[in-house]
Amino acid sequence: MTIDLMMAAWTLVLAFVQILLFDIARTSQYGLKWNTGPRDGEMPPLSARAERLRRAQDNLFETLPLFLGAVLIAHVADRANATTALGAQIYFWGRVAYVPLYAFGVTHIRSLAWLVSIAGLVMVASQILLP
């Protein structure tokens, strides 16, 4: 398996971890009875950390299809190379850094981690879009 495909697989693991982190934060606030019940009725607002985990998850899900698509197209089109491998690693590690920075409310550096991940995505996409 190529490095970029491996990073795509690890990014899917990260997505699953982010789903679990948000679910754990929400369940710890609302309780196991709520989580295993029908979830009817209005609930109080989530804690700031749970909301940040939800937004971090949403943010990943905005770019994840683009990243996976770029990696797969590069692979299928035989355009995967050192740039796509490095870009995929940069995207993944930028996304990994983003989660705790957002969860703990770290400003500015969180945005920098997002920009790093986007730079990695652009690196991958550039190899399928440029001759």
Side-chain angles (χ1 to χ4, degrees):
M1 186 180 307
T2 63
I3 292 172
D4 32 6
L5 287 175
M6 184 64 75
M7 290 296 98
W10 279 110
T11 303
L12 292 176
V13 172
L14 175 64
F16 184 69
V17 167
Q18 285 193 243
I19 290 168
L20 290 177
L21 288 173
F22 171 60
D23 193 51
I24 290 167
R26 183 177 51 184
T27 300
S28 69
Q29 181 177 341
Y30 293 161
L32 191 56
K33 183 177 179 183
W34 168 85
N35 193 15
T36 58
R39 300 182 185 182
D40 294 332
E42 291 293 317
M43 297 301 292
L46 287 168
S47 68
R49 177 151 306 131
E51 279 292 342
R52 288 192 298 267
L53 285 167
R54 182 189 56 77
R55 289 191 303 271
Q57 176 185 322
D58 290 347
N59 188 275
L60 173 64
F61 290 169
E62 290 172 359
T63 61
L64 184 59
L66 302 174
F67 173 68
L68 293 175
V71 167
L72 292 175
I73 291 169
H75 185 73
V76 169
D78 200 27
R79 302 295 296 260
N81 56 35
T83 301
T84 61
L86 180 60
Q89 291 174 81
I90 289 171
Y91 176 84
F92 173 75
W93 290 111
R95 297 308 316 190
V96 167
Y98 187 83
V99 177
L101 291 170
Y102 207 154
F104 292 104
V106 178
T107 59
H108 306 299
I109 298 172
R110 177 197 86 217
S111 296
L112 182 60
W114 181 84
L115 285 171
V116 165
S117 74
I118 294 302
L121 175 57
V122 168
M123 288 174 69
V124 175
S126 73
Q127 298 306 292
I128 59 174
L129 297 174
L130 300 177

